[in-house]
Amino acid sequence: AQSVTQLDSQVPVFEEAPVELRCNYSSSVSVYLFWYVQYPNQGLQLLLKYLSGSTLVKGINGFEAEFNKSQTSFHLRKPSVHISDTAEYFCAVSVLHNQGGKLIFGQGTELSVKP
Amino acid sequence: GAGVSQSPRYKVAKRGQDVALRCDPISGHVSLFWYQQALGQGPEFLTYFQNEAQLDKSGLPSDRFFAERPEGSVSTLKIQRTQQEDSAVYLCASSLAQGRTEAFFGQGTRLTVV
């Protein structure tokens, strides 16, 4: 079975400061890794994904994440945040094969950007 | 439309009432997923369709939950005899194929059972 742990439930940060949202996963098989963002009363929007290849993945809105297999981590980073980045962020894994690619999500991290 | 559409956006049901939640996936998307998101939690998998075939329903919490996708397009999630613990946002997602391709999410249906 797979599981995802987001180590911080809330991350307050000032505008233009850097931010890192932490994600660790557990799986006995290879997984694909995702970060989604959810704005209030909205569905989830894909920020970025790691399928294979380069361990540094760049996504939308200036976000990037690094896959670290030895530490089973996939932390999300942004060098300078904006007020508009305030939202809930979810890390997720999927296993292709016979599970159809269903996503296993972490509990979420609420990013609050203050002026 | 261009995205995944869910209806209704909000639903208030009295305990014991049956409800039906609709999902219109992106045209041509083979895979369709339902997730349940309780307040302050991450989404949890309910069920998965590949075209009209329901290949995984391991996440359905009880036999009161039933999902169908009879023509391989629109899907309906039905909850019978709703209970207060069913209150959540129900998210639908579709993808062109399984696994490697991006899953696109609808805005969800917020169900409140009173």
Side-chain angles (χ1 to χ4, degrees):
Chain A
Q2 293 75 41
S3 66
V4 177
T5 302
Q6 292 183 242
L7 297 161
D8 306 293
S9 59
Q10 294 181 320
V11 173
V13 63
F14 286 106
E15 194 175 16
E16 299 184 6
V19 71
E20 178 181 79
L21 306 184
R22 297 180 293 168
C23 172
N24 286 87
Y25 69 93
S26 173
S27 177
S28 57
V29 298
S30 295
V31 295
Y32 301 138
L33 296 153
F34 305 82
W35 274 98
Y36 281 86
V37 61
Q38 187 175 37
Y39 299 101
N41 298 314
Q42 298 293 316
L44 282 80
Q45 180 183 6
L46 181 68
L47 277 177
L48 47 78
K49 61 185 176 185
Y50 173 79
L51 304 180
S52 63
S54 173
T55 57
L56 182 62
V57 180
K58 294 188 182 298
I60 63 171
N61 301 341
F63 284 94
E64 64 181 31
E66 185 155 20
F67 169 56
N68 187 317
K69 188 174 183 178
S70 63
Q71 296 186 4
T72 59
S73 68
F74 191 53
H75 300 332
L76 181 71
R77 302 185 183 99
K78 186 169 182 178
S80 176
V81 295
H82 302 289
I83 297 288
S84 59
D85 292 324
T86 295
E88 189 88 16
Y89 291 79
F90 292 97
C91 181
V93 302
S94 76
V95 175
L96 175 53
H97 307 302
N98 64 346
Q99 296 187 27
K102 71 181 183 185
L103 293 163
I104 309 298
F105 287 90
Q107 296 284 74
T109 297
E110 182 183 347
L111 176 64
S112 176
V113 181
K114 304 179 185 305
Chain B
V4 178
S5 177
Q6 291 187 246
S7 60
R9 285 293 315 278
Y10 304 92
K11 176 69 178 177
V12 178
K14 291 184 178 179
R15 193 172 57 178
Q17 186 179 353
D18 297 349
V19 298
L21 313 180
R22 177 187 170 104
C23 173
D24 278 272
I26 294 173
S27 178
H29 277 197
V30 168
S31 297
L32 186 145
F33 303 83
W34 283 98
Y35 293 87
Q36 180 190 59
Q37 185 177 20
L39 188 64
Q41 303 294 315
E44 292 193 354
F45 170 80
L46 293 176
T47 187
Y48 159 63
F49 290 85
Q50 184 174 318
N51 295 307
E52 70 279 2
Q54 189 175 21
L55 298 185
D56 187 346
K57 52 182 181 179
S58 62
L60 296 177
S62 77
D63 59 8
R64 296 186 295 104
F65 286 70
F66 172 76
E68 60 183 5
R69 193 186 185 197
E71 297 179 358
S73 178
V74 171
S75 177
T76 304
L77 177 66
K78 297 179 179 178
I79 309 173
Q80 297 177 323
R81 305 181 303 282
T82 52
Q83 303 295 315
Q84 277 196 313
E85 61 263 28
D86 300 334
S87 295
V89 175
Y90 291 86
L91 295 167
C92 176
S94 70
S95 66
L96 193 57
Q98 60 183 13
R100 292 181 62 92
T101 58
E102 177 182 352
F104 293 84
F105 282 80
Q107 292 185 303
T109 294
R110 182 178 298 277
L111 173 66
T112 304
V113 181
V114 298

